[in-house]
Amino acid sequence: MTAQPIRVLLVDDQPLLRTGFRMILEAESDIAVVGESGDGEQAVADARALQPDVVLMDIRMPRVDGVQATRQITGAARETTPRVLVLTTFDLDEYVVEALRAGASGFLLKDVPAEDLVTAIRTVSRGDAVVAPSITRRLLDMFASRFPATDSPTPANLAHLTDREREVLTLVARGYSNAEIAAELVVSETTVKTHVGNVLTKLGLRDRVQAAVYAYESGLVQPGAL
Amino acid sequence: MTAQPIRVLLVDDQPLLRTGFRMILEAESDIAVVGESGDGEQAVADARALQPDVVLMDIRMPRVDGVQATRQITGAARETTPRVLVLTTFDLDEYVVEALRAGASGFLLKDVPAEDLVTAIRTVSRGDAVVAPSITRRLLDMFASRFPATDSPTPANLAHLTDREREVLTLVARGYSNAEIAAELVVSETTVKTHVGNVLTKLGLRDRVQAAVYAYESGLVQPGAL
DNA sequence: TGCGCCCTCCACCGGCAGGAGGATCCGCGC
DNA sequence: GCGCGGATCCTCCTGCCGGTGGAGGGCGCA
């Protein structure tokens, strides 16, 4: 695959498991196990010293757990940040989400077939991500529940707004006053008030606070887009 | 694998592509292509009539596009909802997210190796999900950026609020007036105004609209939780 | 050409919001 | 006991917001 073999660091508190993985991986000509770490703290140090391409990381470990170790490894601002492939015994959501935030490039269950493991390592080393199917399912579900909005891209009422009104609404939802919106759109404050009034009437809302809430709830604006 | 073969419906506006996929799939003994649809509208009808286990759905199509068709197929409240495996030519985020919301069980790029395609169909038919590695990468990135929450559970400033103030803030973020909040909390409106004033001062905001926005942006309240 | 929709702007007015300033009560820690 | 912070309540005042009513200009469609 590559001229240089993929450098892998094994991190697990069970030596037996590390040995098992090592045997699987060393059977592949393009993969080289460059080290083993027994806990998170050592893993962080080893990752720094050995500069592996991929870190195979158990999530449950003494001292520093896998999530924290992942955070520290991926957080290190270096040229070549190792990719972290997380191993979980159970597909617990909490760990998955945490590790994700920590910057992991993938998740596998420990009962992964040897073949899939090596494939996953190659995938991750390329910069792509890999997630066990059963975990993917949950991820997608969480994702879908997070973004339920577009089912009604324009919740009926939103469609009744003119472009200008929708534009004003988004600015209201940023916390702008009428005067600020007027300045932003280069029109008079009176005009802004007209638009805001129309929005409130059309959406059946009372004041601009409810309009801002509506903007978020309808998906017109989304958290983080600020 | 199963006694009954996996029933697959092919949806793509290019007949040539359908034929190609059909040839690949029919070489597998546990997979049966039960139909082909040339556009989204027909796909919805076929899915209803043929009751496939898996729908292989192109995203770009005339009339009704793949996202809409997916929504209608997965949205149909029936015993056995077909799993939808979406095919994209490019790994465009927009389509992926849209299809996700629509209830798709997976995403593959059209240049997927034949072997991976059949594996994916088997995975999806089991109820698991499958996503092409390059797309997974993006999904994880979006995920991580979407849930920065735990890193700063309380964006510093939020922590400075008292319980009562935080309570008032969440009600402000629901679009409640001071009078309504007073009624809800069974205190006088004056008290509410005091709390709101404290919140604005502590968070460095100007008015309740900005407070509502802050509540959403900080994650104190979340869309859909209404 | 005329109708309708949208964007633009104005004046007037009532109301709620938010700031200033001060006050009481309670619980907690020194 | 005393101080401190939080929750509760009050008045006065200013200002922005939102409602009402009206008006002109541009653009598309019948």
Side-chain angles (χ1 to χ4, degrees), chain B residues 77-97:
Chain B
R78 283 207 309 280
E79 292 298 307
T80 56
T81 306
R83 314 281 178 178
V84 177
L85 187 50
V86 171
L87 290 172
T88 62
T89 305
F90 310 104
D91 48 351
L92 297 175
D93 303 46
E94 30 180 340
Y95 284 133
V96 172
V97 174

Side-chain angles (χ1 to χ4, degrees), chain B residues 116-174:
Chain B
D116 290 0
L117 177 66
V118 298
T119 303
I121 286 179
R122 293 195 187 104
T123 302
V124 169
S125 76
R126 280 202 312 271
D128 286 337
V130 62
V131 177
S134 63
I135 300 178
T136 300
R137 173 81 266 162
R138 303 204 176 194
L139 224 54
L140 296 197
D141 290 344
M142 288 184 65
F143 213 87
S145 70
R146 273 291 159 180
F147 296 84
T150 322
D151 220 21
S152 51
T154 45
N157 290 334
L158 248 186
H160 297 154
L161 299 183
T162 67
D163 291 342
R164 200 55 158 176
E165 285 160 358
R166 223 171 293 117
E167 196 176 359
V168 169
L169 176 53
T170 63
L171 293 176
V172 168
R174 287 179 119 86

